[in-house]
Amino acid sequence: GDGGDGGGGEGEGGGNAGGATPRAAAHEGDAEVAEVVDEEALEAAAAAFGCEVEELRFPLLSKNMQVMHETIVQQFTVKAAQQSRDALSKIVFAALFDLVVEHINTVSRSPVSSHSIGILDIFGFEMLKVNSFEQLCIN
């Protein structure tokens, strides 16, 4: 978070899509709805994803629900918005990790490469020939 007014009080930090931390904004009936604390962070995240700010804001703060033949927009509470942000962060991290693993494995398997990865731990020595970087990270 940006230190702001501390609204919402919970979950600031952790996995956070470019600092786009939600906070309580207004009350809709008895339920609070979330808003973005740091617009600049949301803009930076949208730019990194290559999308418009509103294309990122909507799924972080709300969802569409189909009821009969009507679409209703349900605004998230702060907790639900934090969960949405954290889920997006985890998906992005996993995709980036997979790209890094794929790249490192490709480079380490090239015929001109004399690189190899081995691990010596309490269970002995292991040569990592397949998915070697991923296995290294797991170990």
Side-chain angles (χ1 to χ4, degrees):
D2 66 348
D5 67 357
E10 61 186 284
E12 294 207 19
N16 158 348
T21 301
R23 69 172 170 209
H27 295 279
E28 196 173 272
D30 290 330
E32 69 180 23
V33 294
E35 72 176 11
V36 173
V37 171
D38 186 348
E39 285 295 322
E40 287 181 24
L42 183 65
E43 291 168 7
F49 287 130
C51 68
E52 297 295 321
V53 172
E54 293 310 311
E55 291 175 308
L56 183 57
R57 181 190 316 273
F58 184 84
L60 288 174
L61 299 178
S62 57
K63 68 178 177 180
N64 284 332
M65 289 180 33
Q66 207 56 39
V67 178
M68 300 293 279
H69 300 291
E70 189 177 346
T71 301
I72 298 173
V73 175
Q74 179 183 6
Q75 298 294 318
F76 290 154
T77 63
V78 171
K79 183 173 182 159
Q82 289 168 340
Q83 290 170 339
S84 176
R85 175 205 61 200
D86 293 350
L88 176 60
S89 297
K90 288 175 186 176
I91 289 168
V92 169
F93 180 82
L96 288 173
F97 181 79
D98 289 345
L99 284 172
V100 169
V101 167
E102 181 181 331
H103 180 73
I104 289 174
N105 285 338
T106 299
V107 169
S108 67
R109 277 192 227 125
S110 71
V112 295
S113 175
S114 61
H115 305 317
S116 65
I117 297 176
I119 296 177
L120 177 61
D121 62 14
I122 61 172
F123 299 109
F125 189 76
E126 180 179 358
M127 286 302 294
L128 308 174
K129 296 186 187 292
V130 179
N131 292 326
S132 51
F133 182 70
E134 185 174 18
Q135 289 176 330
L136 173 67
C137 291
I138 290 169
N139 286 330

